Amino acid sequence: MSKDTEIIDTGASVGLVQRHTFTFGKTGDTLKLESGRELASVHLAYETCGTLNADKTNAILVCHALTGDSHVAGYYQEDDPKLGWWEIMVGPGKPLDTDKYFIICSNVIGGCMGSSGPVTRNPEKDKPYGTDFPVVTIGDMVSCQRRLVDSLGIEKLLAVVGGSVGGMQVLEWSVRYPDRVCAALPLATTTKHSAQAIAFNEVARQAIMADPKWNGGDYYESGRPEHGLAVARMVGHITYLSDESMRHKFDRKLQDRGEVSFDFEADFQVESYLRYQGNKFVNRFDANSFLYLTKAADYFNLENQYGDGSLVAAFSRAKCRYLVISFTSDWLYPTYQSKAMVKGMKKNGLDVSFCEIEAPWGHDAFLLPNERLDKLIGGFLDRVHAECALGADNEI
Amino acid sequence: MRFDLQVIASWIEPEATVLDLGCRTGSLLDHLRQEKGTKGTGIEIDQEAAGEAIAKGLSVIHGDIYEEVEDYPDNAFDYVILSQTLQQVYDPEKLIREMLRVGHRCIVSFPNFTHMKNRFQMFFTGRAPVSKELPYEWFNTPNIRVIPITDFRRFCVGLDAPIVKEVAISTHHHDTKGRTITFLPNLFATFGIFMLGQVGE
């Protein structure tokens, strides 16, 4: 979820990639959102790597987490040091092997990395939408991705994979479009936010809305609510780590000083780290977008949407194979939430594998190098590829 | 593959659906998939073993067998297998009843506690037996049950579950090789393997 996690390159890169924009929703074919509102002329920023095979059976859709973007792997220019956010997972010979698979990653609707969102110019008012942008849901994100997949001529995705809020999109795909997914890999995610997860999001949103510069969401000319957004990010960051990882990384170590200052400077390293992460985030993210995306995550409730409150009923729609993964120290989406979805899948006789990976780094673990995670995903995809793309049973 | 697993594999029909409780790294499921085209599922509590099995492309759930077996609907599988785990099971009756609920047939293999070597050790040394099949001291053994083949048969009568097949084996020092024991199995066999039918069948 925290895109600012240090990226370590673990092998060959996909190399140069380009960001494309897919536009849809012309008059007569507008995007109907779950809120009831409609949106015309929707943009989705997306990137692809690898090669789509002739019968278009090797496509894998990667869904990014809360504040991610379409830049999943590779780089934009030869001299661009910034690699994609899942460089360790996507590339030649890596678990999402671009020698075998065609990888697609798009920025979600409501985001601010090239797709339509509150930053987009509202044609009716000739200024950015701000909070006039309709509220979007995980379902809306997925229905936009479905149109992108349609436009690429792909009838059935080999797999949909993503962690955290990306994992919610994966789950949504598997029950919303059961005939269009061979396999789903929801990582470090949940079928619905706990009260605790909503609570942290609400504190983050309040930090933005309490910043006077937020101005009801209309700040694009008057100056952005940078402080509020930075605090929101700091709150988020706490939820992505764990007690153990914080102790290991910072403990009570002081920042650039031998003793406490008796003022309100950042005495402790953890304070300095959070301030740094907050400030860094402000440079790349839009505050309104943060409000929209956290709201979408809070609204997500797979069992209510598809099963009248029953997870078993919700998964009765699904047909794909699943690989569910949780991490021991993830207290934002704890293992019990993954186990609940696995139970729902099992009760429907679905083909499901599940592993709780031992990792001390909290929710962020799915973005960090982990040999176990690599092998699980690589091995699972090998089988799915053999069964669905190369083999006989396209219908399971 | 272990010899008891080879025997179990020989009992499974092609294309059957199989649930392997305590599947470790999935060698039986992998073998059955390749040789018989079965559709297998495993449950394994050890993260490393479960991870290795999933990485082989098997459907495996990392979790506790008691909890996980409960989620399956009645008769979800043709065969439910519990190999060399019964001696560590806290409530064998409950587990085997669950196995017979979710599976048409249940296959159980376990080390035969009353094998001759164990009897001699106890008799002559007066100490708890330690063998290749049960290689632990009393203070570090995960095996909380001692199961003679004869007692297991009586247990099945009590359960009212018919014994559909049974074989007693003796394994060599390489556990991948062995032979079946027909003469006094409770004395000469190192392992018992049973296939049970559903209660009251």
Side-chain angles (χ1 to χ4, degrees):
Chain A
M1 198 181 256
S2 71
K3 221 184 130 273
D4 303 317
T5 306
E6 202 178 329
I7 290 165
I8 301 160
D9 189 11
T10 54
S13 172
V14 296
L16 276 175
V17 291
Q18 256 188 313
R19 196 169 89 175
H20 310 281
T21 303
F22 165 60
T23 306
F24 66 94
K26 298 204 172 62
T27 327
D29 185 30
T30 52
L31 175 69
K32 289 174 187 61
L33 298 160
E34 276 181 35
S35 64
R37 286 182 60 183
E38 289 184 31
L39 210 52
S41 185
V42 181
H43 303 293
L44 277 196
Y46 74 98
E47 292 170 35
T48 68
C49 16
T51 313
L52 187 60
N53 63 12
D55 43 7
K56 300 186 176 183
T57 54
N58 69 334
I60 297 178
L61 178 71
V62 176
C63 302
H64 68 71
L66 188 71
T67 60
D69 56 28
S70 60
H71 191 39
V72 62
Y75 40 85
Y76 292 136
Q77 287 151 13
E78 288 293 351
D79 56 357
D80 179 3
K82 196 175 173 310
L83 295 165
W85 60 267
W86 223 7
E87 188 70 22
I88 55 169
M89 193 58 79
V90 180
K94 294 176 186 176
L96 298 181
D97 190 345
T98 47
D99 289 338
K100 289 190 242 174
Y101 312 123
F102 178 65
I103 310 293
I104 310 161
C105 183
S106 66
N107 182 217
V108 294
I109 187 170
C112 55
M113 301 291 182
S115 292
S116 297
V119 199
T120 310
R121 194 150 282 274
N122 181 353
E124 283 169 25
K125 294 191 181 169
D126 198 32
K127 62 174 191 172
Y129 275 103
T131 47
D132 285 338
F133 194 78
V135 167
V136 293
T137 63
I138 299 290
D140 294 329
M141 294 173 185
V142 166
S143 82
C144 290
Q145 290 161 358
R146 199 263 303 154
R147 293 207 193 203
L148 168 65
V149 169
D150 287 348
S151 78
L152 296 169
I154 296 159
E155 198 174 312
K156 194 168 190 178
L157 290 163
L158 181 65
V160 189
V161 50
S164 194
V165 175
M168 295 178 188
Q169 295 159 50
V170 170
L171 292 167
E172 177 82 23
W173 258 99
S174 71
V175 295
R176 192 181 186 101
Y177 304 119
D179 294 319
R180 311 228 20 204
V181 187
C182 264
L185 296 86
L187 318 174
T189 193
T190 181
T191 57
K192 60 178 181 192
H193 263 181
S194 63
Q196 180 177 246
I198 296 172
F200 277 108
N201 273 352
E202 175 58 6
V203 172
R205 283 190 294 264
Q206 284 300 329
I208 291 170
M209 294 190 285
D211 186 329
K213 286 187 167 175
W214 180 61
N215 190 30
D218 185 4
Y219 53 73
Y220 295 99
E221 274 156 29
S222 55
R224 308 182 318 144
E226 293 184 346
H227 189 67
L229 181 59
V231 174
R233 183 58 167 179
M234 290 163 83
V235 173
H237 246 283
I238 297 167
T239 66
Y240 310 150
L241 301 173
S242 69
D243 179 35
E244 187 180 347
S245 67
M246 280 194 172
R247 198 165 55 236
H248 179 85
K249 212 167 179 173
F250 315 110
D251 199 15
R252 290 182 55 87
K253 283 185 286 231
L254 299 177
Q255 180 72 27
D256 303 329
R257 66 198 72 202
E259 48 197 74
V260 295
S261 62
F262 294 99
D263 60 23
F264 295 100
E265 290 302 303
D267 283 330
F268 295 101
Q269 280 187 8
V270 65
E271 294 174 295
S272 164
Y273 170 82
L274 288 175
R275 288 184 187 191
Y276 169 75
Q277 292 295 347
N279 291 331
K280 199 168 89 171
F281 185 62
V282 163
N283 293 327
R284 70 170 181 88
F285 217 80
D286 173 59
N288 282 332
S289 211
F290 190 91
L291 300 180
Y292 279 84
L293 299 181
T294 52
K295 204 72 185 171
D298 288 349
Y299 281 165
F300 183 63
N301 187 340
L302 198 75
E303 50 252 61
N304 266 12
Q305 176 99 5
Y306 293 102
D308 269 336
S310 154
L311 209 44
V312 180
F315 280 114
S316 70
R317 302 167 53 97
K319 296 179 182 172
C320 65
R321 299 150 175 83
Y322 285 96
L323 173 60
V324 179
I325 291 174
S326 69
F327 295 89
T328 48
S329 56
D330 182 353
W331 55 275
L332 187 58
Y333 304 140
T335 291
Y336 77 85
Q337 298 179 348
S338 288
K339 285 200 161 202
M341 65 181 92
V342 169
K343 191 185 269 270
M345 294 162 188
K346 281 164 76 187
K347 290 199 171 192
N348 281 291
L350 291 164
D351 182 336
V352 48
S353 289
F354 164 71
C355 190
E356 180 190 31
I357 296 178
E358 177 90 38
W361 313 121
H363 180 61
D364 257 351
F366 79 95
L367 288 170
L368 297 170
N370 186 313
E371 204 185 333
R372 168 90 53 230
L373 182 66
D374 288 358
K375 283 185 177 164
L376 284 168
I377 293 180
F380 176 78
L381 285 176
D382 278 344
R383 166 175 56 119
V384 172
H385 191 223
E387 288 175 353
C388 299
L390 311 171
D393 79 270
N394 230 335
E395 295 299 315
I396 56 165
Chain B
M1 193 165 65
R2 278 188 349 230
F3 184 66
D4 67 313
L5 297 181
Q6 294 173 38
V7 174
I8 292 172
S10 74
W11 288 359
I12 310 274
E13 291 127 30
E15 312 286 316
T17 52
V18 176
L19 175 66
D20 187 357
L21 302 179
C23 67
R24 303 300 302 161
T25 60
S27 49
L28 176 64
L29 290 172
D30 199 24
H31 171 86
L32 286 171
R33 175 175 65 170
Q34 284 174 29
E35 299 299 315
K36 304 216 171 177
T38 57
K39 191 178 176 315
T41 304
I43 293 170
E44 173 54 47
I45 196 153
D46 180 70
Q47 185 227 140
E48 224 170 293
E52 220 175 292
I54 297 170
K56 283 179 189 164
L58 296 164
S59 302
V60 170
I61 289 170
H62 172 212
D64 175 74
I65 54 178
Y66 301 98
E67 283 174 28
E68 299 298 333
V69 77
E70 282 178 6
D71 297 335
Y72 294 106
D74 294 357
N75 295 309
F77 301 92
D78 295 322
Y79 295 97
V80 183
I81 299 167
L82 183 72
S83 65
Q84 294 195 22
T85 305
L86 188 65
Q87 70 276 13
Q88 297 172 9
V89 167
Y90 178 71
D91 190 345
E93 183 176 343
K94 186 178 166 204
L95 183 65
I96 289 181
R97 282 193 193 280
E98 268 300 284
M99 289 169 69
L100 288 168
R101 179 186 67 78
V102 303
H104 184 58
R105 291 280 181 265
C106 131
I107 299 174
V108 180
S109 81
F110 55 86
N112 175 32
F113 187 72
T114 47
H115 180 256
M116 162 178 85
K117 274 186 306 189
N118 291 353
R119 296 191 196 196
F120 285 159
Q121 267 191 49
M122 275 199 89
F123 188 80
F124 290 113
T125 68
R127 291 167 50 189
V130 177
S131 64
K132 187 169 74 69
E133 293 77 27
L134 294 165
Y136 301 96
E137 297 280 357
W138 66 269
F139 52 84
N140 62 9
T141 183
N143 302 319
I144 56 168
R145 312 249 161 238
V146 293
I147 319 163
I149 287 174
T150 307
D151 280 345
F152 187 77
R153 271 198 219 103
R154 289 177 56 220
F155 168 77
C156 294
V157 173
L159 270 183
D160 196 22
I163 295 169
V164 180
K165 271 184 191 169
E166 83 168 85
V167 66
I169 60 168
S170 175
T171 47
H172 292 218
H173 61 281
H174 284 302
D175 64 4
T176 54
K177 289 186 178 152
R179 63 199 164 87
T180 56
I181 304 289
T182 48
F183 180 65
L184 296 179
N186 201 45
L187 184 61
F188 293 118
T190 51
F191 293 96
I193 310 173
F194 287 76
M195 185 196 286
L196 308 184
Q198 289 181 324
V199 171
E201 196 177 285

